[in-house]
Amino acid sequence: MPLLPRVKRMKRPARLESAKEWIRTYAGKHLLRGYCDHYAVDWRCAVIKLKLLGIRIDPAYISKRERTEAEHTKQNQTKK
């Protein structure tokens, strides 16, 4: 069975060190989404890690994500 890509197997300290360079070279519009995809972490984890790296994320955007996730959870529970 082949291994996952190296960045998806990294522990926190290695991921933070690697992310410093990755952020400099990232060309996309949505840094949070890109971090989630690249390092295979959920968005809450990505917010924490990006804050540790000194990246400012709009609190309104974070609250919007939380509300959206709560709505999806509620919809899934009503389907059951």
Side-chain angles (χ1 to χ4, degrees):
M1 185 167 94
L3 291 173
L4 293 172
R6 181 174 169 265
V7 293
K8 296 186 181 192
R9 291 181 281 137
M10 289 182 176
K11 301 288 186 210
R12 183 180 192 179
R15 188 168 50 238
L16 288 173
E17 195 63 35
S18 167
K20 290 176 188 175
E21 181 62 29
W22 178 82
I23 289 171
R24 280 189 229 129
T25 61
Y26 184 68
K29 292 181 182 179
H30 306 283
L31 184 65
L32 181 63
R33 188 182 309 159
Y35 188 94
C36 292
D37 292 341
H38 188 74
Y39 290 102
V41 295
D42 70 329
W43 70 270
R44 288 186 176 135
C45 177
V47 167
I48 294 168
K49 303 306 185 280
L50 289 171
K51 284 183 180 179
L52 286 173
L53 292 169
I55 305 297
R56 297 187 68 196
I57 300 173
D58 185 19
Y61 178 70
I62 295 171
S63 64
K64 180 181 173 186
R65 293 282 307 241
E66 288 174 348
R67 278 185 273 128
T68 303
E69 187 172 327
E71 289 172 6
H72 285 293
T73 303
K74 188 176 179 181
Q75 287 175 354
N76 288 341
Q77 288 177 352
T78 57
K79 285 181 183 178
K80 290 180 182 180

